[in-house]
Amino acid sequence: MTQTSPQGQRPAVSFEDRMATVDFRVAERAHITVDTDVCRSCEVRACVHACPAALFVPTDDGGILFNYEQCFECGTCYQVCDAPGALTWSYPEGGHGVAFRQG
Amino acid sequence: MPPETNPAPAFDVVVVGAGPAGSAAALEAARAGLSVALLERGPYPGAKNVYGGVVYGRILDELVPGWWEHMPVQRWVTRRSTMLLTGSQALTVDFRAEDWGRPPYNGATAFRAELDGWLARLAEEAGAVLVPSTTATGLLRDTAGKVTGVRTDRPGGDLTGRVVIACDGVNSFLAKEAGLFAKVSGKQAEHTSLGVKETLALPREVVEERFGLSGRHGQDIEILGGTGGIPGGGFLYTNLESVSVGVVLSLTGLTASGVRPEAVLAGLKEHPAIAPLLRGAELKEYSAHLIPEGGYDTMPELVTDGMLVAGDAGAMCLAAGVWLEGVNYALGAGMYAGRAAAEAIAAGDTSRTGLAGYRRLLEESFVLADHRRLRRVPGLVFSDRVQRSYPGLLCDVAQGFFTVDNPRPKPGLRRLVSDAARRRGVRLRHLLSDAFTSARSFR
Ligand SMILES: Cc1cc2nc3c(=O)[nH]c(=O)nc-3n(C[C@H](O)[C@H](O)[C@H](O)COP(=O)(O)OP(=O)(O)OC[C@H]3O[C@@H](n4cnc5c(N)ncnc54)[C@H](O)[C@@H]3O)c2cc1C
Ligand code: SF4
Ligand code: SF4
C-alpha cells in the first residue's frame, strides 16, 4: 500500500520497503524470544509501537506474534517491557543479524 | 600485592567491541607493546552501529596525529545550526566558520561502517588482533571474582586476558554482569533514548545548493521540538551525496506516546522548515540504535578487578536532545583505558587498585570533566519547559520581532517576551532559573 505524503511530492515509503533498505544476515536461532502467555495479560504493550522494526504484532487471541529476523538489536523492547519473563533478549550469534552500511 | 596465580592468559588485553571506544583502547594498548584481542560481534566494525553522523575529532590529535588526512570523511562541518520548531514556526541560529573547513578541522560527517572500520584498522596496524563475527557472551572470573577474560559464542571460544576492556556499547551486558550498575538508580529505560535515522540520497549538487555549501563543506542542524511532544530532539546532517535525518526519543516518552518512532520521524520530515530540504530524496537506509542519555549521574562504576569500562558501555555519551556527542568521549575514554591497562600490567597489578589510574585519567580529561560540569543539562533539556514551552516561546518572540504591522507601533522586546511567556504558560521565575542552570553549566 502506498500513501502520498502531505506535500504530494512522492509516495511515502511503505514499512516493508523501509525495512528492505536494511541488510540482514539472518541467524538460524532466534536471539530474542517472547512468551506470548505473559503478553496475554499485558495491558501496556509498549513493545508493539516502540520497536523501530515493528516486529511485535498483536494476535487475535490476545497474544503477541514476534519475528526476530529483521531485528536491529537495539534493545528497546527489553528496556520498555515491564513484565518479568516476557522477553529473553541476547545478541544473535557473531556475524549474524543486522549489518548497517550507512549508520 | 599477590602475584597473578592463574595460568598465563592468552592476551594481555581483551577489548570487547570495535566501536570508537574499543578501537581506541586496542590501539593504545597495542602501541604500549601489549598483545591485544579486539572482539566485534558484527561481521565488520560498524555493522551494528548507528549515530547521527558527526565526529568532533579534536581528541584524535593525540591518538592519531594528522588524522584528517586519513579519516574517511563525508563532509567537513563548516556550518552548525540549532533549530527550534513548533508545529508551524522555526527559529534557526546558524553559524558558519570558514576556519572549520581547513586543518585542523572542527567536525566531520562520516558513516559508521567507514569510520569504525578505519579506527579498527589503525588498531590492527599497531598489532592488535581483530576478531570479528564473535560475540562475547559472558565474563570469566577466578575464584576471587577477578575478571580474567570473556566467553564467546565460538566453539571453545574462551579468551583470557590480564585486563578486559568492556567497550560493548549502550546495552553493555558485560558491565551489567560485573555488577557495575548496582548504584545507578532508576531503570535503564528512564535514562535511555531511541534514535531512529534515515539516510536519504540526494545528488551532490543538490545537497550543496540546498544547504549553501561548496566543495567538501557540510552543515549540521540540531533540532529542538518537532518530536510531537515526546522528549528528545532531531538532527539533519549532510553527507557527500546524502543527508541523515533522525529523531532521538526518550524511551519512557515514546512508550507513553503510543506513537511509532518512524511516524515521529515522518512528522519531523514534513515540517515546513525541513520538507523543502529533503524534497525528492530517496531512502537508502533506515536504522535505529539506543543512546545512554543520563550523563554523569547515571554512569556505572568504571573499574573493577581485571576490568575497565569505556564509552557508551559506561554511559559516557553527552546526549541531551539537541546535543549528540559520544564518539569523541568514547575515543578519549578508550585511549585512557588502554593506557591505564598498560600501566597496570607493567606494574604487575591488574586489580581494581592497580587499574585505578583509569578513573584519574578520565577525571583529569574532558571525558569526565565535561560530564561533571554538564550533569544537570540532560535533565534540563528533557524538562517539559524546555521541550514543550521554550521552542514556542522563542518562536513567538521571533515572530513578534520580525512581524511588520505598521501603522501599529512596534512592541518592545520586553513586551514580546512577557506576552509570549504568558501565551506559552511559562513563568518568568522558571525562565530565569533555567537560564541560571544553563549559565552555570556552560560557564
Ligand atoms: C541516533 C544516534 C545519534 C548519535 N549522534 C551522534 C553524533 O552525531 N556524534 C557523536 O559523536 N555521537 C553520536 N551518537 C553517540 C555515539 O554513537 C556513541 O556515543 C558512540 O558510538 C559510542 O561509542 P562506543 O565505542 O562506546 O560504542 P558503540 O559505538 O556502540 O560500539 C560498541 C561495539 O561493541 C560491539 N559489541 C557489543 N556487544 C558485544 C559483544 N557482546 N561482543 C562483541 N562485540 C560487542 C558492537 O557491535 C559495537 O561495534 C549518536 C548515537 C545515536 C544512537
Ligand atoms: S513483550 Fe512485554 S510489553 Fe510487549 S506485550 Fe509482551 S509483556 Fe507486554
Ligand atoms: S531489539 Fe529493537 S529492533 Fe529488535 S525486536 Fe527489540 S525493539 Fe525491535
Side-chain angles (χ1 to χ4, degrees):
Chain A
M1 185 188 69
T2 54
Q3 298 164 319
T4 305
S5 70
Q7 293 83 26
Q9 293 148 357
R10 62 167 51 232
V13 182
S14 73
F15 201 78
E16 218 169 64
D17 290 346
R18 169 180 295 278
M19 293 307 293
T21 63
V22 195
D23 185 16
F24 294 95
R25 305 179 183 183
V26 179
E28 269 170 42
R29 196 179 49 84
H31 60 287
I32 299 175
T33 59
V34 177
D35 185 341
T36 191
D37 285 338
V38 179
C39 298
R40 247 183 272 281
S41 54
C42 170
E43 281 165 20
V44 200
R45 309 227 148 185
C47 61
V48 173
H49 78 265
C51 167
L55 299 177
F56 294 79
V57 181
T59 55
D60 287 344
D61 63 348
I64 288 283
L65 189 68
F66 176 74
N67 175 348
Y68 73 96
E69 291 182 1
Q70 292 195 312
C71 171
F72 292 148
E73 302 148 36
C74 66
T76 300
C77 53
Y78 91 84
Q79 288 207 23
V80 300
C81 174
D82 280 330
L87 283 175
T88 60
W89 204 94
S90 66
Y91 292 124
E93 35 186 303
H96 291 79
V98 72
F100 292 120
R101 291 276 171 198
Q102 310 204 314
Chain B
M1 120 208 24
E4 300 202 1
T5 47
N6 296 305
F11 289 91
D12 292 320
V13 178
V14 174
V15 180
V16 180
S23 287
L27 173 60
E28 194 69 6
R31 272 187 186 150
L34 302 178
S35 64
V36 181
L38 174 59
L39 258 66
E40 170 54 49
R41 66 187 191 84
Y44 50 86
K48 307 293 183 185
N49 301 342
V50 181
Y51 78 146
V54 190
V55 187
Y56 302 101
R58 204 69 300 126
I59 183 65
L60 285 171
D61 295 349
E62 189 173 344
L63 195 64
V64 192
W67 53 274
W68 52 80
E69 292 180 8
H70 312 285
M71 194 168 101
V73 160
Q74 289 283 315
R75 286 180 184 277
W76 298 106
V77 176
T78 54
R79 191 171 174 200
R80 285 195 73 177
S81 312
T82 295
M83 204 182 249
L84 304 179
L85 296 183
T86 70
S88 61
Q89 296 161 301
L91 172 64
T92 308
V93 178
D94 183 15
F95 181 73
R96 315 180 71 120
E98 287 298 296
D99 278 356
W100 289 349
R102 291 189 283 272
Y105 299 103
N106 181 57
T109 54
F111 293 124
R112 292 299 297 270
E114 293 175 7
L115 176 74
D116 292 12
W118 174 69
L119 288 165
R121 236 167 5 255
L122 293 176
E124 280 186 284
E125 283 161 15
V129 182
L130 175 67
V131 190
S133 297
T134 304
T135 306
T137 53
L139 294 171
L140 296 169
R141 303 201 217 204
D142 65 15
T143 45
K146 180 175 189 245
V147 174
T148 56
V150 295
R151 289 185 201 291
T152 80
D153 62 355
R154 292 210 165 173
D158 286 1
L159 265 183
T160 51
R162 286 176 219 279
V163 178
V164 169
I165 306 182
C167 301
D168 49 340
V170 56
N171 287 306
S172 184
F173 289 103
L174 298 184
K176 283 176 191 158
E177 187 182 331
L180 300 179
F181 280 94
K183 288 184 200 143
V184 179
S185 64
K187 290 193 309 175
Q188 197 182 356
E190 288 161 20
H191 33 85
T192 305
S193 292
L194 173 66
V196 291
K197 163 172 156 178
E198 291 181 3
T199 308
L200 299 163
L202 280 174
R204 180 172 177 167
E205 320 77 69
V206 175
V207 174
E208 282 155 21
E209 230 173 84
R210 269 186 206 172
F211 293 87
L213 305 166
S214 55
R216 292 299 278 265
H217 287 202
Q219 182 183 14
D220 290 357
I221 306 175
E222 277 96 40
I223 301 163
L224 191 61
T227 49
I230 300 171
F235 57 85
L236 172 55
Y237 299 151
T238 53
N239 304 309
L240 201 54
E241 300 188 292
S242 63
V243 295
S244 302
V245 61
V247 288
V248 171
L249 307 168
S250 97
L251 278 186
T252 43
L254 175 65
T255 303
S257 75
V259 183
R260 290 201 45 78
E262 78 281 359
V264 181
L265 178 52
L268 176 72
K269 287 170 63 186
E270 281 162 11
H271 191 281
I274 305 290
L277 299 172
L278 304 178
R279 191 177 300 129
E282 187 198 344
L283 181 62
K284 279 297 182 200
E285 191 173 84
Y286 170 60
S287 54
H289 201 276
L290 291 183
I291 310 169
E293 289 265 1
Y296 194 77
D297 294 332
T298 61
M299 282 183 189
E301 284 176 73
L302 302 173
V303 183
T304 185
D305 289 325
M307 184 166 125
L308 301 174
V309 179
D312 276 11
M316 292 177 189
C317 192
L318 182 66
V322 273
W323 292 279
L324 268 173
E325 285 179 47
V327 171
N328 44 358
Y329 293 104
L331 287 168
M335 181 177 82
Y336 294 125
R339 218 170 268 180
E343 279 166 16
I345 288 169
D349 179 8
T350 56
S351 71
R352 182 191 302 250
T353 323
L355 291 168
Y358 176 49
R359 180 91 200 182
R360 219 163 31 241
L361 288 167
L362 292 175
E363 300 270 4
E364 286 163 7
S365 73
F366 73 106
V367 179
L368 285 186
D370 280 6
H371 274 286
R372 200 174 326 100
R373 192 163 57 93
L374 299 174
R375 68 199 293 175
R376 299 204 185 283
V377 170
L380 179 63
V381 171
F382 279 97
S383 74
D384 252 19
R385 286 197 295 279
V386 171
Q387 288 286 330
R388 293 172 195 262
S389 311
Y390 290 173
L393 174 87
L394 290 164
C395 283
D396 284 358
V397 172
Q399 184 158 348
F401 194 76
F402 292 124
T403 301
V404 179
D405 59 353
N406 15 42
R408 284 174 54 192
K410 295 194 194 311
L413 195 57
R414 187 182 310 187
R415 250 288 295 295
L416 288 172
V417 173
S418 62
D419 283 358
R422 192 167 349 95
R423 202 161 40 242
R424 297 284 176 177
V426 178
R427 295 246 170 93
L428 244 35
R429 175 162 54 86
H430 289 150
L431 193 61
L432 284 173
S433 96
D434 291 343
F436 185 66
T437 305
S438 320
R440 237 182 359 185
S441 298
F442 290 104
R443 74 169 174 240

